[in-house]
Each structure stands twice: as structure tokens, then as C-alpha cells.
Amino acid sequence: MSITSSNLHDLTVAHLAYKLRNKDVSAVEVTQHFLARSHAAEHLGAYLAFNDEFSLSQAKAADVRIAAGDLSPLTGVPIAHKDIFVTKDFPSTAGAKMLGGFYSSFDSTVVNKFAGEGMISLGKLNCDEFAMGSGNENSAYKKVLNPWDMSRIPGGSSGGSAAAVAARLTPAATGTDTGGSIRQPAAFCGITGIKPTYGRASRYGMIAFASSLDQAGPMARTAEDCALLLSAMCGPDLDRDSTSLDVPAEDYTRSLNDSIEGLRIGIPKEFFGDGLSADVRAAVDAALKEYEKLGAKLVPISLPRTELSIPVYYIVAAAEASSNLSRFDGVKFGHRAQNYTDLNDMYKKTRAEGFGDEVKRRIMIGTYVLSHGYYDAYYLQAQKIRRMIADDFQQAFQLCDVIAGPVAPTVAWKLGEKSSDPVANYLADIFTLPASLAGLPGMSVPAGFGEGNMPVGLQLIGNYFSEAKLLNMAHRLQQATDFHTQKPEGI
Ligand code: GLN
């Protein structure tokens, strides 16, 4: 592709990095280009905050590094961060009124690592309040529109990240996935996203939702880009995150082109039942056929407790959320009610005003399932079944190397369609929750189009630390198909 300043946004991270290294374009030019596009796309609702002066100062520093030959594979490439990662130079809100205008005194580890590579932060991306949601309609600030069809949701909770990448407002974004929030919006917006093994990327400075599930990951257009980004964001952070794994960072780009001849892909029958819509099924089946052409074998498997992952997740995640969100009391940081009579009244009014409906719902459910008399019946049961779900995966991995299926039962739904029905939202998470509960890596790869010409994602789930294999599989599919290169009309 010949580049001009007008189509820089069509380049992938890998291609942009190459052009920057070659000095075909400067980091300042690239940054100005993406900032201008991002500012002009206000109507999509993808961003919550910019700091152009700061972004351009990072770009100038990247150009100095490039001139000096002091490079990493990502130097000079822009990225935008889900507003769950705290940052010194942009407000950090988690999409919540409770944290309106909040500035952190430090940068989260993931943001720091990308800055250390010489990447440029373009801004903060919209998300569901405290990452609770599947459609980004729970943001306290604004809705995000799906660039493929602006009457539809982009997915959630990393909806701003997915929409921004799909609309070419940034070549890459960070996301977080507690129960599917990287994979599902990636699928709904036709991009690629990976959630690594739990503990692989540091949670330090990620505003906590459910700490035993929360995991950061990259969202970009291609598996190659995700491999570059994931290589930079993983690695131990033992002093700062008690669940960070003591496993050195890896270079995930090295095995992208490996052959997948003879690879056994497990097809869980529970992912292909009645709940799966025909259009998504057709696209997923076609992608699986591509894998067969590449020499992989499809193996039928069972994940018998797939349905139980919904109640288990919505008990465990709510329980942890109720505890994590107790820190928002109007004293330490964030919103504080204006008028109150005493300390208790201040707590009550602050939390009543600062939290939205879905967050309150989860705090109430979480407090209930942890309360004396109900703990054994709900929380403890859920923890036991969570273990069984993880064991089911280990059984399955006796028969196969990786697991594949749909990311979500349908394509992106219409704005407002499920917003008054929380349970309908929860049910749509069925295929992403099992891997989250087991702490396994999972990814979404563009696999074609369904109803309304909306993107469909293929989900790949691997055993612990198999990120390189998932990225390799996704890359091989992307060499055989062109779904990941297609873009929404008018973009
Ligand atoms: N949709 C799920 C929820 O609402 C998952 C969210 C997430 O992964 N952050 O909790």
C-alpha cells in the first residue's frame, strides 16, 4: 500500500512501526493524524478524554528515540487506553460518575509498559461503568455506537476500545476482560482481541471489578498486532500485583507463522446448541473449515457446565465487586454528596448518587451472596462449581490442543434492545464466561459477517500460557481470509 498522510489510519501496528523505523513518517505526524480523526469522530462516543499536548510530547520523544536508533518494535505507534487503567495525564473514570474528573497519582503498569516502549497514548476510551456490562450502555457518560451500524451497540465492556480500533481512530487499544469484555466487543466490531492467562499481565492500576477474573489484553486489527502488543504488556509485576505470575515475558511474534498441521481443535457441543443463532453458526463453521484446510483436525468435546457459568460468574463477580467498590465512600476519592447530615448519610447519598443502576444491582447481589446465612448456599456453591468448570477444561484438553467456538450467540444487538433487561445481557455472555472462570486465555478473531452484515467473531480458547498458540492460529486464519481487513462503510 502506498501511504499518504490521508490513509495512515489504514495501516496496522506492524506496518506503522515499519514506516516509523524507516522514517517514512514521523511519530508526530502519525499522532496528529489519529488525534484529528479521533476528535472528528465525537459522534461515536468512543473516547472519554484527550490530552493532545501530552500525546504530542510523547510523539516528539518517540521521534528522538527513532532518530537515535533507540527503538522497540512499537516506538512511535499510538495506542488508546480503556478508561479502567489509571493514568496521571488523563482523568481516570472507569466510565463512572463516581470517579468523574479523578486523576491518579501514578500510571497503571500496562500503561507504563507501553509508554516505556515509546508508544503514544491518544486518550482514554469509554467503557461500561466499572466494566460491568455487555453493550457499553452502562457508561455514565455516553453511549458508544458500533461503527458497522450506528444503531447497534459495540459490545462491552471494552466498547470504546473496539469501536475506536474498528473506526480507525487508533491502531490499537487496551481492554480488560472479566467475563468477555475483550473478546465480545472485538467480535462485535470485527477486530482481533486477546485475553491472556489470568495473572499474565499486571492488574496494578486497573480499577478493580472482580479481582479473581479481571485481566488486561490488547485489541487491534490483526493477530500479528496483538502479538506485538501482548509481548510488551505481559510479565511479572510481583511487588505490585499479588496475583501476577512469575513467568517472564515472551515474544509472541516468533511463532505466528508456525504450521498448524495436525493441531486438534476441540469443538464443545454446548457452544453449538439452540441458543446459537444461525448466522453466527454459519460464519463459525466456515472458519472451522478453513482450519481443516490448513491441516487441523476438529475433535468433538464437551464442556458440560457451560450453562452454569452464567449463575456462577454473576455470583462470584458480584461478590468481588461489592467488596472492591466499598472503597468508593466519598472520603478517599471521587464523588462526594453535597448535602448530608452525618457520616452515614454522607456514605449513603454519595453512593446513591455516584453509582448507576447496574453497579448498584451488582453491589446488592454481591452483598447478599456474601452475607451470613447465604454465603454457603450461593458464594461457596459458586466457588465449587467454578473449580469444576476449570476441571472440565482440563478434561477437554486431554483430547484437543485448543478449543474453538463462537464468541457470542448473536451479532451486536440494537441500542436499547437489552438495556432494560439485565438478565438478557447476562445470558449473552454464555460463551465467554467459562474461560474467564477457569483463568484461561481466550481470543476473538474476525470470522465473517452475519445478520445485518455485522461482524462475527470466532473464539479460540487455549490452556494456561498458550497465548502463542492462539495467536499463531489466528494469524494463520488471517492469512487465509480477509475478514480482518474489511472496514465499516464510510471509514
Ligand atoms: N459482560 C460481563 C459483565 O457484565 C463481562 C464484563 C467484563 O468482562 N468486564 O460482567
Side-chain angles (χ1 to χ4, degrees):
M1 186 192 313
S2 75
I3 53 158
T4 64
S5 56
S6 61
N7 70 359
L8 279 173
H9 53 274
D10 282 324
L11 304 184
T12 60
V13 169
H15 200 167
L16 263 176
Y18 172 80
K19 294 284 176 196
L20 283 156
R21 266 197 307 276
N22 258 0
K23 305 196 184 69
D24 293 342
V25 63
S26 72
V28 167
E29 283 171 83
V30 171
T31 303
Q32 280 167 337
H33 180 79
F34 280 103
L35 282 175
R37 277 184 74 77
S38 297
H39 283 296
E42 175 70 23
H43 61 286
L44 280 180
Y47 281 90
L48 290 178
F50 294 103
N51 179 348
D52 291 12
E53 206 182 311
F54 173 72
S55 306
L56 288 166
S57 72
Q58 281 190 315
K60 282 187 194 126
D63 281 330
V64 170
R65 275 181 71 166
I66 293 169
D70 165 27
L71 289 182
S72 98
L74 294 167
T75 307
V77 178
I79 187 167
H81 297 295
K82 182 177 183 180
D83 204 13
I84 279 284
F85 295 92
V86 298
T87 41
K88 288 191 310 242
D89 300 286
F90 303 87
S92 303
T93 71
K97 179 176 169 194
M98 187 60 104
L99 282 174
F102 171 70
Y103 273 87
S104 165
S105 57
F106 63 95
D107 281 329
S108 62
T109 296
V110 162
V111 167
N112 236 333
K113 278 180 173 263
F114 284 129
E117 299 288 318
M119 292 192 86
I120 289 108
S121 292
L122 290 176
K124 299 299 284 290
L125 296 166
N126 203 350
C127 58
D128 283 303
E129 184 179 349
F130 292 108
M132 299 178 195
S134 309
N136 222 120
E137 293 180 291
N138 298 336
S139 165
Y141 297 99
K142 50 190 171 185
K143 296 201 187 324
V144 181
L145 312 184
N146 189 316
W148 291 88
D149 173 351
M150 295 205 246
S151 68
R152 297 186 192 241
I153 55 121
S157 64
S158 314
S161 307
V165 172
R168 274 63 169 160
L169 309 183
T170 176
T174 48
T176 60
D177 193 310
T178 303
S181 283
I182 288 174
R183 289 161 285 161
Q184 184 255 31
F188 284 3
C189 289
I191 65 162
T192 308
I194 180 163
K195 172 198 101 79
T197 304
Y198 177 78
R200 199 73 184 90
S202 173
R203 289 185 298 111
Y204 181 67
M206 250 167 69
I207 297 169
F209 161 14
S211 309
S212 76
L213 295 151
D214 295 345
Q215 188 54 210
M219 302 170 77
R221 300 221 304 277
T222 66
E224 182 186 18
D225 287 359
C226 284
L228 280 164
L229 295 158
L230 192 66
S231 304
M233 77 195 284
C234 286
D237 194 18
L238 306 177
D239 296 341
R240 296 194 173 95
D241 172 2
S242 61
T243 56
S244 167
L245 296 167
D246 195 5
V247 180
E250 265 178 73
D251 178 358
Y252 296 109
T253 60
R254 277 211 298 245
S255 43
L256 284 172
N257 287 306
D258 285 3
S259 161
I260 58 164
E261 182 85 43
L263 190 80
R264 296 167 305 162
I265 305 180
I267 310 298
K269 66 169 185 282
E270 293 79 4
F271 281 40
F272 291 84
D274 288 346
L276 181 62
S277 68
D279 57 330
V280 172
R281 188 182 178 128
V284 168
D285 283 345
L288 294 175
K289 287 233 159 58
E290 288 294 335
Y291 278 119
E292 284 186 302
K293 282 196 225 156
L294 291 167
K297 290 187 186 52
L298 306 187
V299 183
I301 59 158
S302 173
L303 293 171
R305 274 164 276 250
T306 297
E307 266 185 30
L308 286 178
S309 64
I310 298 173
V312 168
Y313 172 85
Y314 280 96
I315 288 169
V316 172
E320 294 185 23
S322 72
S323 166
N324 272 326
L325 272 54
S326 65
R327 74 191 63 176
F328 300 107
D329 59 2
V331 177
K332 293 186 275 299
F333 33 59
H335 176 74
R336 178 183 298 175
Q338 289 288 310
N339 304 305
Y340 46 87
T341 52
D342 57 20
L343 185 63
N344 268 328
D345 192 46
M346 190 279 281
Y347 289 154
K348 282 190 205 157
K349 289 200 173 120
T350 294
R351 289 169 67 86
E353 292 169 11
F355 290 135
D357 288 349
E358 182 59 27
V359 173
K360 286 180 186 158
R361 184 177 297 118
R362 300 207 191 187
I363 292 172
M364 286 192 279
I365 295 171
T367 309
Y368 179 82
V369 299
L370 288 175
S371 60
H372 182 72
Y374 296 102
Y375 179 92
D376 289 0
Y378 295 103
Y379 184 70
L380 201 59
Q381 277 297 89
Q383 289 289 36
K384 287 182 183 164
I385 302 170
R386 179 178 186 180
R387 161 58 60 188
M388 293 164 121
I389 291 171
D391 290 345
D392 289 344
F393 275 107
Q394 292 315 311
Q395 290 280 333
F397 286 127
Q398 306 273 325
L399 302 173
C400 62
D401 305 306
V402 280
I403 294 172
V407 173
T410 63
V411 295
W413 51 87
K414 297 272 184 189
L415 285 155
E417 194 180 315
K418 294 189 203 235
S419 51
S420 58
D421 184 355
V423 175
N425 273 283
Y426 302 168
L427 294 175
D429 292 338
I430 184 160
F431 302 136
T432 49
L433 300 178
S436 297
L437 288 165
L440 294 168
M443 85 178 283
S444 176
V445 196
F449 297 88
E451 179 243 319
N453 206 28
M454 294 302 291
V456 173
L458 173 76
Q459 182 175 206
L460 303 175
I461 300 171
N463 214 339
Y464 303 109
F465 302 112
S466 65
E467 292 81 4
K469 181 47 67 190
L470 301 184
L471 290 159
N472 163 219
M473 276 184 76
H475 183 67
R476 295 306 302 255
L477 185 69
Q478 294 184 339
Q479 307 221 291
T481 58
D482 68 354
F483 305 126
H484 62 292
T485 66
Q486 305 203 18
K487 53 181 182 176
E489 229 176 86
I491 297 291

